[in-house]
Amino acid sequence: YMHDFAGNFPPDGAHELARWVFLASAFGHYSGSLETRLASDVNILRSENADRLQMLQALARAAQEPRTPGARLTAADLEGKG
């Protein structure tokens, strides 16, 4: 994402990228089949029909599956995570 868009974020893009990082960490997004998850995330980022903010929001939704999309992330969710 940073390479493809020269580090430029759309409005709220930096917030959405940070949200994805926290969700992926809190919910063990990459704890299972790393290659499968990473390939799925790369496909989201390579989606030509989505705008940049939609891409980041889609990453955040994928990182919190199977939890309810838009669920609040709390400090307890991150407690003890590396």
Side-chain angles (χ1 to χ4, degrees):
Y1 183 90
M2 297 298 289
H3 177 268
D4 288 349
F5 299 110
N8 295 314
F9 291 102
D12 292 327
H15 171 79
E16 287 298 325
L17 185 61
R19 180 172 170 71
W20 168 73
V21 169
F22 287 126
L23 288 167
S25 176
F27 301 135
H29 184 63
Y30 292 112
S31 64
S33 176
L34 176 63
E35 292 83 10
T36 302
R37 293 278 188 178
L38 189 57
S40 176
D41 289 349
V42 169
N43 285 336
I44 290 170
L45 289 173
R46 298 288 185 216
S47 174
E48 294 184 23
N49 295 329
D51 72 20
R52 294 184 298 154
L53 186 59
Q54 287 175 339
M55 284 185 226
L56 295 172
Q57 291 168 339
L59 279 177
R61 281 191 304 276
Q64 67 187 20
E65 287 179 355
R67 291 157 188 85
T68 304
R72 285 189 60 94
L73 182 63
T74 67
D77 293 324
L78 296 172
E79 197 170 293
K81 306 292 184 193

